[in-house]
Amino acid sequence: MPVPRLPLVLLTALALAGCASAPRAGAGPARTVDDCGRQVRVEKPPQRAVALNQGSAEILLSLGLADRMVGTATWTDPVLPQLAADNARVPRLTENNPSFERVLDADPDFVSASFVATLGTGGVATPERFEQLGVPAYVSPADCLKDNSGDGDGARTAPLTMDAIYTEIRDLAKLFDVEDRGERLVADLTARMHAATAGIDASHVRLMYWFANSESPYLAGCCGAPGIITTALGAQNVFADTHAEWPQINWETVAERDPDVIVLGDLTRRSQTAETGAAKIAFLESNPVTRNLTAVRNKRYVLLSGQALNPTIRTVDGVAQVAQALRAFGLVG
């Protein structure tokens, strides 16, 4: 019943506020990072972190911090195989956005998120609300670099780069006092980016990225994570003329642009129509507007995880997978 829950939440909030005001002796100096125009400060490295999005969770897991995590939420895909064992040790609060109270029940001393839509107005709670309870809150700078004031997924005036993702890794590594691990992770991702794009010239290849929804599809604009992939390969995005992150565009306009290759989000969540890659392909090959597209007639599909199409460490996987597919299609050497 809801009546007994209120004291639990209040007690949790009071406990969190009390813990924040009295850091343990010998915990080392406070650590601060600049984040989205705010300063995030921890008095000691977090021990009970909650990652509110899969992208944030996979960074913390990649930094070897499973033993300092007490919850994750908002998943679109299975966890990376190399992180599965550590991920199994961390409670999953919910597949989607948890309630503020559910997060507080995990007794966190730090929360992080990939999106302002999750850790902001209209999401789980604002960073300020968490911080009022003594819980530092961090949002990925990759999301803050865009205008999130509209009703959609935001818009960018400048192209996103991997530097924003590397900044997130370094910030979290600093706050958790594992900076050497952060540098190793950045170095690994950088090396993989170079290896994936070596010798690629896809300047004549026209790509389209479809995340979800068959009735009014979410297709990538110029400058988000798909923009990183497109730029790394020297290719073209058929919707590079829009700065919206994931504008909804009708199929007639898609037919006019006629992409050579379609990159499909292969999601395991169930919140939109045509979530899986298979469902998207079935739609494309049966719809009278799309079945004669160049990419569809030649079956040039590339299936990526949702996380590879978001600004995350998996964007590097997206670059590698699209490059491999373009070679297999015979479109690049």
Side-chain angles (χ1 to χ4, degrees):
M1 294 195 314
V3 175
R5 264 185 89 77
L6 183 57
L8 173 61
V9 172
L10 289 175
L11 287 171
T12 303
L14 290 171
L16 288 168
C19 290
S21 62
R24 291 182 301 182
R31 293 168 176 268
T32 303
V33 298
D34 294 324
D35 177 48
C36 303
R38 306 163 35 250
Q39 285 202 327
V40 177
R41 175 185 174 93
V42 297
E43 298 298 332
K44 61 181 185 297
Q47 300 296 315
R48 299 185 58 80
V50 170
L52 298 172
N53 292 108
Q54 181 174 353
S56 181
E58 290 190 337
I59 290 177
L60 295 180
L61 292 169
S62 295
L63 292 172
L65 297 170
D67 60 340
R68 294 200 244 164
M69 298 170 67
V70 294
T72 66
T74 322
W75 289 73
T76 59
D77 308 290
V79 70
L80 284 167
Q82 65 267 32
L83 302 177
D86 280 346
N87 180 62
R89 298 160 51 198
V90 182
R92 186 168 296 192
L93 305 183
T94 174
E95 296 295 323
N96 299 304
N97 273 4
S99 67
F100 183 53
E101 291 77 13
R102 180 69 184 89
V103 178
L104 292 184
D105 283 347
D107 191 22
D109 62 1
F110 181 84
V111 296
S112 61
S114 303
F115 304 109
V116 171
T118 303
L119 190 51
T121 303
V124 176
T126 63
E128 292 76 17
R129 191 174 181 195
F130 275 109
E131 288 166 357
Q132 286 170 358
L133 302 178
V135 183
Y138 180 91
V139 181
S140 169
D143 204 54
C144 298
L145 290 171
K146 72 181 197 297
D147 178 1
N148 290 294
S149 60
D151 294 331
D153 292 297
R156 297 184 187 274
T157 56
L160 183 69
T161 71
M162 285 298 298
D163 287 342
I165 299 166
Y166 298 155
T167 295
E168 180 177 6
I169 293 168
R170 289 184 168 116
D171 283 350
L172 292 171
K174 178 179 179 181
L175 293 171
F176 282 81
D177 194 20
V178 290
E179 287 158 289
D180 56 338
R181 300 181 196 176
E183 291 305 319
R184 287 198 296 270
L185 179 55
V186 169
D188 175 67
L189 293 171
T190 303
R192 287 170 54 204
M193 280 285 286
H194 288 319
T197 58
I200 285 276
D201 177 10
S203 56
H204 59 290
V205 179
R206 303 170 71 252
L207 304 172
M208 186 184 82
Y209 301 83
W210 177 18
F211 195 86
N213 197 305
S214 57
E215 294 86 2
S216 186
Y218 290 93
L219 308 176
C222 67
C223 300
I228 294 176
I229 298 172
T230 304
T231 300
L233 300 175
Q236 305 171 51
N237 176 353
V238 296
F239 290 108
D241 55 342
T242 174
H243 286 255
E245 190 87 334
W246 289 100
Q248 290 184 277
I249 298 172
N250 63 57
W251 290 116
E252 288 73 20
T253 303
V254 171
E256 292 171 2
R257 303 291 175 99
D258 194 22
D260 300 314
V261 176
I262 302 178
V263 181
L264 305 172
D266 189 19
L267 316 179
T268 57
R269 69 176 193 184
R270 295 291 182 270
S271 65
Q272 300 272 341
T273 55
E275 296 280 49
T276 66
K280 289 180 173 70
I281 292 170
F283 175 88
L284 290 168
E285 295 184 349
S286 62
N287 184 281
V289 178
T290 59
R291 64 190 179 196
N292 289 317
L293 293 172
T294 297
V296 175
R297 285 188 289 104
N298 291 282
K299 297 187 180 296
R300 294 187 191 134
Y301 310 118
V302 188
L303 274 60
L304 298 186
S305 69
Q307 292 304 300
L309 291 169
N310 285 327
T312 67
I313 58 175
R314 292 214 205 181
T315 301
V316 174
D317 295 330
V319 172
Q321 288 174 256
V322 175
Q324 182 180 27
L326 296 186
R327 289 189 177 100
F329 297 148
L331 295 175
V332 298

